[in-house]
Amino acid sequence: MEFRHLRYFLALAEELHYGRAAQRLAISQPPLSVAIQQLEASVGARLFDRDSKGVRLTPAGDVFRASAQALLDRAEDACALAREVQAGEVGRLRLGFVGSTLFNGLSAWLQAFQAAHPRVEVVVVELNSQDQIDALLQEDLDLGLVHTDRLPPALVAQPLYSEPFLACLPAGHPLAALAEIPLAALSDPPFILFSRKGSPDYHARIVAICRQHGFYPRLQHEGRHWLSVVSLVAQGMGVSIVPAAFQRAGIQGAVFRSLAEQVDGSAVFAAWRTDSAGVLRERFLAARPAS
């Protein structure tokens, strides 16, 4: 049985006339007769009575008519859904993000995308960069917002934006009275840093910034998320160098000061698998509001 047979059957069931049904289907009458015979053989029941008075649906044909219409309707719905998925109008996007993006417009970005694509389900999960890389490789994420572009060959990165690094200090720390913090002044206090395991590249970059300015940080504590780092600083457990976004986190007890020296900023990248379908990803990236 083919969908063609069902279409031919429904046309004949409405017209109850082979000539008119064939004309409606833009075919000649013999192929229509053959198709109906093939359908009846496949179903195993006579669907039409034919005599000198005309063409009539049999009881079996009358029952089959509703099912045939439902089958065709479902097939058309399936085709329409497939087209919408291919066009990026329907689907599911699994998005990973690092904490700093929460304070750099991620909420507005998500709202803009959802407003334009209300039938797309977006699932978001906060993970550090290394955990996102692992999830992308395992196909548990479709897109990641990470702090590194040093990725395995199976992944690709696209730069999104960069922001300055700031010194993060306990509110009562003597250095907090300064408008700018010389990096060398951070050499003595206990240093709190993002976990090497959570983001090896990010960890190494901040250590390199310190070493370029004459010292190796006295690492006392590590956090798997930047908010944990800032919270530890706020509790007076040390100092840190953090992305500027976290000054908008509203964590009481932590203050932020510009660095006296010029250093490269904290970059955020979009990352995804090179072999993944890209329609939803590209639509999401295009929806990012201008900064």
Side-chain angles (χ1 to χ4, degrees):
M1 183 189 304
E2 303 174 12
F3 284 115
R4 169 178 64 91
H5 293 138
L6 298 180
R7 288 194 297 270
Y8 288 5
F9 165 78
L10 289 171
L12 184 57
E14 287 189 22
E15 298 293 344
L16 295 177
H17 188 281
Y18 275 87
R20 290 195 300 270
Q23 185 176 17
R24 174 174 163 180
L25 293 165
I27 61 174
S28 62
Q29 189 169 325
L32 174 60
S33 298
V34 170
I36 296 300
Q37 291 169 8
Q38 291 172 340
L39 178 62
E40 289 178 325
S42 177
V43 172
R46 194 173 76 256
L47 303 176
F48 294 97
D49 281 329
R50 313 163 184 83
D51 56 30
S52 59
K53 296 180 181 180
V55 179
R56 298 180 305 281
L57 280 167
T58 64
D62 193 46
V63 170
F64 184 73
R65 181 178 184 178
S67 298
Q69 186 64 62
L71 280 171
L72 284 180
D73 289 344
R74 284 199 293 272
E76 181 53 39
D77 289 344
C79 291
L81 181 60
R83 290 191 294 268
E84 289 174 330
V85 169
Q86 180 172 289
E89 297 299 331
V90 177
R92 188 168 186 255
L93 179 69
R94 299 165 300 170
L95 174 70
F97 66 94
V98 288
S100 66
T101 60
L102 286 172
F103 310 103
N104 266 317
L106 178 59
S107 178
W109 186 357
L110 287 166
Q111 290 173 11
F113 179 75
Q114 291 280 221
H117 303 85
R119 298 177 64 196
V120 174
E121 178 189 8
V122 182
V123 179
V124 295
V125 56
E126 181 183 4
L127 296 169
N128 61 48
S129 296
Q130 187 58 51
D131 286 346
Q132 287 190 64
I133 290 169
D134 293 340
L136 288 165
L137 291 173
Q138 294 165 12
E139 300 186 75
D140 293 328
L141 289 178
D142 302 307
L143 178 65
L145 306 180
V146 299
H147 279 304
T148 181
D149 61 350
R150 296 185 182 181
L151 303 174
L155 305 181
V156 64
Q158 172 183 311
L160 294 177
Y161 61 85
S162 181
E163 61 181 325
F165 280 114
L166 300 178
C168 181
L169 311 161
H173 196 283
L175 290 174
L178 301 178
E180 291 186 336
I181 308 299
L183 276 160
L186 301 177
S187 61
D188 292 330
F191 207 94
I192 303 168
L193 189 54
F194 198 90
S195 164
R196 184 194 305 272
K197 184 177 179 181
S199 182
D201 184 47
Y202 219 49
H203 181 102
R205 285 188 59 213
I206 294 178
V207 170
I209 288 172
C210 296
R211 296 188 69 176
Q212 287 165 9
H213 292 83
F215 71 99
Y216 192 95
R218 292 179 52 219
L219 297 180
Q220 296 289 316
H221 307 285
E222 289 187 343
R224 287 187 63 82
H225 299 275
W226 275 117
L227 284 174
S228 300
V229 172
V230 176
S231 295
L232 289 170
V233 171
Q235 294 172 37
M237 300 182 70
V239 301
S240 189
I241 298 172
V242 305
F246 289 100
Q247 66 186 324
R248 299 188 285 276
I251 297 178
Q252 297 296 317
V255 297
F256 302 85
R257 298 290 183 264
S258 298
L259 297 172
E261 295 87 359
Q262 185 73 31
V263 299
D264 290 338
S266 169
V268 172
F269 302 85
W272 62 87
R273 290 180 62 94
T274 56
D275 60 357
S276 64
V279 177
L280 281 179
R281 178 184 69 240
E282 293 304 322
R283 285 179 177 259
F284 181 77
L285 292 174
R288 180 169 170 253
S291 55

